[in-house]
Amino acid sequence: MASHSCKPEKRTRELLSAEVAGELVLLDSERKRAFALSPTLSLLWKHCDGAHTVPSLAGIIARKTGQEVKEADIWVGLKKLQKKRLLEGKFEIPEELDVRSRRRVLKSIGLGAGALVAMLLPTPAQATTCFPAGHPCTAATSHTCCTLLCNPVTNQCL
């Protein structure tokens, strides 16, 4: 799909989302995984509504972060989201864009490496021996939460 006509759309089916300490956490009940997105990657995912093109997404992210964002930056972020099945449909990065040389820059704005962390969700058997959402926890005891996620602000299981 050409860069001017690609209008990525986030997947919402079987996904729950929650804001935790400035990061968006997506719980994928279909694949039994959780994903923590950096603030910048969260912005990108939230604006993938099927109405915005890649150039308009670059403008939105640039305005909201106050940093220069190019189309190649958006493509790298979109590929990251697509790889984890957080977007609908498939697309290819246009060949004319050099995305490999941008990886170092992307790390600093939150669209590159480390911007998305995946976690396994517990099995039903594990879930019966864990604490539900709202139970007190700490970062050291987050493994006792059913989602394996502890909100560091409220010290409660998510």
Side-chain angles (χ1 to χ4, degrees):
M1 202 177 279
S3 66
H4 64 278
S5 64
C6 181
K7 295 180 179 179
E9 187 172 350
K10 66 184 168 225
R11 186 180 129 223
T12 55
R13 174 185 35 78
E14 308 231 16
L15 277 181
L16 296 173
S17 63
E19 292 279 339
V20 179
E23 292 189 342
L24 179 68
V25 176
L26 301 173
L27 301 175
D28 184 343
S29 61
E30 181 179 77
R31 296 179 52 228
K32 308 295 186 258
R33 297 209 185 283
F35 303 96
L37 281 62
S38 70
T40 307
L41 198 58
S42 298
L43 278 173
L44 177 60
W45 184 81
K46 287 176 184 177
H47 286 88
C48 287
D49 56 9
H52 293 96
T53 62
V54 171
S56 68
L57 288 168
I60 290 168
I61 303 302
R63 278 191 304 281
K64 294 204 179 234
T65 63
Q67 298 185 24
E68 181 183 1
V69 179
K70 299 189 187 272
E71 281 187 48
D73 304 336
I74 299 301
W75 281 110
V76 170
L78 291 173
K79 284 304 278 187
K80 205 174 242 313
L81 292 168
Q82 182 185 49
K83 184 177 178 182
K84 298 299 182 186
R85 299 183 196 161
L86 297 174
L87 296 176
E88 297 287 351
K90 296 222 179 226
F91 53 82
E92 295 297 322
I93 295 177
E95 291 180 21
E96 66 271 12
L97 294 175
D98 180 18
V99 296
R100 282 181 285 239
S101 65
R102 303 208 46 83
R103 288 193 179 148
R104 177 171 288 156
V105 174
L106 294 175
K107 287 180 188 179
S108 68
I109 65 170
L111 287 173
L116 190 151
V117 177
M119 300 156 270
L120 287 174
L121 293 177
T123 65
Q126 292 168 321
T128 61
T129 59
C130 59
F131 295 115
H135 191 276
C137 63
T138 65
T141 63
S142 64
H143 64 280
T144 61
C145 297
C146 294
T147 61
L148 303 178
L149 298 172
C150 180
N151 183 331
V153 176
T154 63
N155 288 327
Q156 293 180 333
C157 293
L158 293 176

